[in-house]
Amino acid sequence: MSNLKNRLEEFKKTFESGAPPYNVTPDRVATMHRATAELKASGIEGRVLKIGDRAPDFALFNQDHIEVSSKDVRRKGPMVVSFFRGHW
């Protein structure tokens, strides 16, 4: 089985080719590359948390729109934060 990096590279190649099931147009691929370049040029990569860094305390709304505090979750054990775009 290939590692994650190889799998992601293969996905990127397929996605950017415009092939089904994604059918992405070249102008959209160019927009994504431009946005990525702008983010890198901003220096944001140097300011993000690294693996092993402790995140600051925060509160987010869960899928039921109930506010959840990271402090409260960490009291119960390790925490995983997952983001999703929403319900379609």
Side-chain angles (χ1 to χ4, degrees):
M1 178 182 233
S2 63
N3 66 31
L4 180 59
K5 184 176 181 177
N6 291 340
R7 291 173 61 193
L8 288 171
E9 285 297 323
E10 187 60 37
F11 171 81
K12 180 180 175 184
K13 189 181 345 174
T14 301
F15 182 84
E16 291 182 353
S17 75
Y22 309 108
N23 305 313
V24 179
T25 60
D27 60 311
R28 290 189 179 185
V29 171
T31 298
M32 289 186 293
H33 284 286
R34 192 168 43 257
T36 300
E38 288 171 5
L39 283 170
K40 287 183 177 190
S42 76
I44 195 169
E45 289 177 297
R47 298 189 309 268
V48 299
L49 294 175
K50 308 293 186 276
I51 293 173
D53 288 350
R54 186 175 191 101
D57 292 331
F58 61 90
L60 297 171
F61 290 97
N62 69 13
Q63 69 278 4
D64 298 318
H65 203 66
I66 297 170
E67 190 173 67
V68 178
S69 161
S70 62
K71 265 184 170 174
D72 293 340
V73 173
R74 281 198 313 270
R75 282 190 196 111
K76 299 175 186 175
M79 174 179 60
V80 174
V81 179
S82 176
F83 296 91
F84 61 95
R85 291 181 65 178
H87 303 283
W88 297 100

